[in-house]
Amino acid sequence: MLVSCPVDNRPAGAPRLYGKLKIRVSPGSLAYRVYRQTEIEEAFNCNYEMNPAFRSLMEAKGLKISGVSEDGGARIIELPGHPFFIATGFVPQFSSEENKPHPMIVAYLKAALKYKKK
């Protein structure tokens, strides 16, 4: 579903759907274990998001919405029981730095090392 994200304080000349959004993270979720906090702010460059009409169906089939923006939009989605299934509506590498990688990237790499086939 094509959207126009409600991004505040968009830099002049930036692409139409670029900026930062505050996200509420569900305690007990994988996202919470990654961030260790219930409110985060992430950079977005979004063109698509989950159609709200399908949210209850997705949740009924096992997906967990573990991060929502202030407007209630699904921004982090997980599959409970999977070693590391997490999808985001934001781009973690946007806020990674050479000596300070994004926590989602670090968590992914740790999971990959833990579950690699021997």
Side-chain angles (χ1 to χ4, degrees), residues 24-108:
R24 289 184 315 274
V25 179
S26 300
S29 65
L30 173 57
Y32 183 82
R33 290 193 305 273
V34 169
Y35 287 101
R36 296 185 182 118
Q37 56 192 52
T38 56
E39 189 173 293
I40 60 173
E41 188 174 272
E42 288 291 350
F44 275 78
N45 184 6
C46 52
N47 292 311
Y48 296 92
E49 69 179 359
M50 177 187 286
N51 184 329
F54 294 102
R55 183 174 176 159
S56 60
L57 176 63
M58 302 287 266
E59 290 175 317
K61 295 296 182 179
L63 288 178
K64 177 180 181 176
I65 311 302
S66 60
V68 296
S69 55
E70 293 176 305
D71 67 350
R75 305 298 175 199
I76 304 174
I77 301 170
E78 302 177 14
L79 183 59
H82 189 278
F84 196 89
F85 182 103
I86 193 162
T88 66
F90 53 88
V91 187
Q93 60 269 33
F94 278 3
S95 53
S96 279
E97 298 174 16
E98 184 178 350
N99 294 315
K100 188 180 177 192
H102 189 282
M104 191 68 71
I105 294 171
V106 172
Y108 171 73

